[in-house]
């Protein structure tokens, strides 16, 4: 597939993506946009495929950029077992449901 990563990199040209994993070489820095990842905020411009969501909200690259702009600490939140802590980026509805659940539980 081809993806427009202009929101992340400012690159005006579409980027070719693949499902293949490339081994990282010693001393090589981590790429901002690896060839096997498509990120939120980036549009698929050509082709079709399937994906696996590995992060949402402030845990994404766009979220990390937003944290940097806001001047917030960008350390990853502690995770409990296999589920990430999403309390920091809860929507107003999720916050209201959390309060309601607390009231019902009492």
């Amino acid at each position: 597939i081809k993806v427009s990563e202009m929101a992340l990199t400012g690159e005006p040209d579409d980027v070719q993506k693949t499902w293949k994993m490339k081994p990282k070489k010693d001393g090589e820095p981590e790429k901002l946009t690896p060839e096997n990842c498509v990120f939120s905020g980036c549009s698929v411009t050509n082709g079709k495929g399937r994906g696996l969501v590995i992060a949402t909200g402030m845990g994404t690259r766009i979220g990390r950029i937003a944290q940097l702009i806001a001047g917030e600490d960008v350390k990853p939140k502690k995770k409990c077992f296999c589920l990430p802590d999403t309390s920091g980026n809860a929507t107003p509805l999720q916050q209201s449901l959390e309060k309601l659940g607390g009231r019902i539980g009492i």
Side-chain angles (χ1 to χ4, degrees), residues 36-90:
N36 61 344
C37 293
V38 177
F39 299 95
S40 66
C42 299
S43 304
V44 175
T45 58
N46 191 356
K48 59 183 177 178
R50 293 184 186 179
L52 174 67
V53 177
I54 58 172
T56 60
M58 296 305 279
T60 64
R61 297 282 169 106
I62 296 285
R64 196 178 319 163
I65 291 169
Q67 286 176 333
L68 289 170
I69 291 170
E72 296 177 13
D73 188 13
V74 291
K75 293 179 184 174
K77 294 185 179 188
K78 292 183 180 180
K79 295 182 180 183
C80 178
F81 301 110
C82 65
L83 298 175
D85 177 15
T86 59
S87 60
N89 60 350

Side-chain angles (χ1 to χ4, degrees), residues 1 5 8-9 17 24-25 27 63-64 68-69 80 87:
I1 63 175
E5 293 182 339
L8 275 181
T9 63
K17 296 293 184 173
K24 184 180 173 188
K25 297 176 184 170
R64 196 178 319 163
L68 289 170
I69 291 170
C80 178
S87 60

